[in-house]
Amino acid sequence: MDTAPATPLSFRDATEADVDALVALVESAYRGDSSRAGWTTEADILDGQRTDPEGVRDIVTSPDSRLLTVEREGRIVACCQLEHRGEHAYFGMFAVSPGQQGAGLGKAVLAEAERRARETWGATEMHMTVISVREDLIAWYERRGYRRTGRTTPFPYGDERFGIPRRPDLAFELLVKPLV
């Protein structure tokens, strides 16, 4: 973890020019040995890719989505997807650079994402899905007001765009938070 004093963050919507940098950020936060520098790694439960340029480009160009890009000193350090889905917004593709995890950056990004969903779209709830075996991550979201719904969807086994599972019990659980 970088313990240097935090410099101001800037938030903006991603552009197509950011795609490669955002793919690299997401991969570094979740896959492979580099992800082990942070606490959000999925390297023990999934191999393969977390995302790809096509998937990121689809989010960037979709009229109902935003890929919120967070910079510090001109360098992309975090991102998250926001998608307008009627009365609620979907939060996904959340990544913080492994070397900057654990110092409050994730909390700041999540709070800004919630604010934008509420103010831009009038969303009254934020929804997200988390791999159900990620108890530490789910607990982090619960401390920020999200609640487990018990509603799950199967992990897309066999679709390597989402990774190569290292265990047979993966599913996505829906977490919800009121934005009032």
Side-chain angles (χ1 to χ4, degrees):
M1 177 173 52
D2 184 359
T3 57
T7 55
L9 299 173
S10 63
F11 296 85
R12 63 176 176 80
D13 289 342
T15 67
E16 288 191 62
D18 298 316
V19 167
D20 290 339
L22 291 166
V23 169
L25 170 67
V26 171
E27 293 298 312
S28 75
Y30 291 99
R31 297 291 196 273
D33 286 337
S34 67
S35 70
R36 294 181 192 282
W39 69 274
T40 62
T41 184
E42 295 172 345
D44 294 328
I45 60 172
L46 291 159
D47 290 322
Q49 70 179 29
R50 178 65 151 60
T51 192
D52 56 36
E54 296 78 23
V56 172
R57 190 171 290 106
D58 287 348
I59 295 167
V60 169
T61 60
S62 171
D64 292 325
S65 286
R66 305 279 182 277
L67 194 50
L68 185 60
T69 301
V70 185
E71 293 178 320
R72 178 177 277 153
E73 296 180 343
R75 191 174 134 252
I76 296 174
V77 294
C79 68
C80 67
Q81 172 191 5
L82 290 172
E83 184 176 322
H84 185 209
R85 295 184 179 177
E87 291 187 10
H88 76 270
Y90 177 79
F91 178 84
M93 200 174 290
F94 186 27
V96 174
S97 179
Q100 298 200 28
Q101 292 178 17
L105 178 55
K107 283 190 269 189
V109 174
L110 183 60
E112 178 65 10
E114 291 168 354
R115 185 191 70 75
R116 287 182 182 223
R118 192 174 43 250
E119 292 180 7
T120 303
W121 297 317
T124 58
E125 283 186 334
M126 185 77 86
H127 291 198
M128 70 173 72
T129 56
V130 179
I131 297 174
S132 59
V133 298
R134 298 287 320 273
E135 295 293 337
D136 54 343
L137 184 58
I138 291 170
W140 187 86
Y141 285 119
E142 287 178 317
R143 289 190 300 273
R144 276 136 201 91
Y146 287 81
R147 65 175 174 75
R148 298 180 89 153
T149 64
R151 297 191 338 228
T152 62
T153 53
F155 187 87
Y157 284 89
D159 188 343
E160 291 187 7
R161 292 177 302 163
F162 298 95
I164 303 166
R166 299 180 76 181
R167 49 191 288 177
D169 60 342
L170 302 181
F172 293 108
E173 183 172 352
L174 176 65
L175 305 182
V176 176
K177 178 181 180 178
L179 296 179
V180 289

